[in-house]
Amino acid sequence: YVQGAAMDSPHGSTCGVSHVAVSPAGTAAASSSAQEDALRLYVRDTRAGWTCVHRLDRPAGPRGRASTLAYSADGSVLASAHGSSVCLWDAVAPALLRVVPVPGGGVPGTLRL
């Protein structure tokens, strides 16, 4: 592994990072924190590194903080698992597209779009 960039305190000085997903093109990333009920979206600039461009608060309905994150193959959709629901986000706009309940109540530890 080669570290290509670092971010100091992406969720603030008192919050750690629990999950990270990087877009297939490597130009965008998302992170979640066990202490913050929100996702952070980043874009990568070749000179400035990673910059947080959006904060996405968990919508009403799904319970719990994000337990896993995944980008679609084209990087246009970000999925975040919250308890027994998966939130689908427009990763470009960004906006909530849909909340999908998961039958049986649990979301697996890995999401694939």
Side-chain angles (χ1 to χ4, degrees):
Y1 297 99
V2 175
Q3 178 179 339
M7 289 183 270
D8 291 329
S9 304
H11 286 267
S13 62
T14 61
C15 297
V17 173
S18 56
H19 298 88
V20 174
V22 178
S23 69
T27 56
S31 66
S32 66
S33 170
Q35 294 83 23
E36 182 181 45
D37 209 6
L39 307 177
R40 301 282 179 133
L41 300 184
Y42 306 87
V43 293
R44 184 172 179 210
D45 180 291
T46 54
R47 287 180 277 177
W50 292 95
T51 302
C52 181
V53 292
H54 297 288
R55 174 190 156 124
L56 302 174
D57 292 320
R58 180 182 50 83
R63 296 180 184 246
R65 291 178 171 84
S67 60
T68 191
L69 304 169
Y71 276 94
S72 61
D74 66 0
S76 66
V77 176
L78 173 68
S80 59
H82 303 265
S84 61
S85 300
V86 174
C87 295
L88 300 176
W89 304 89
D90 180 326
V92 179
L96 181 65
L97 298 171
R98 183 175 194 163
V99 176
V100 180
V102 176
V107 175
T110 302
L111 291 174
R112 293 180 193 230
L113 298 179

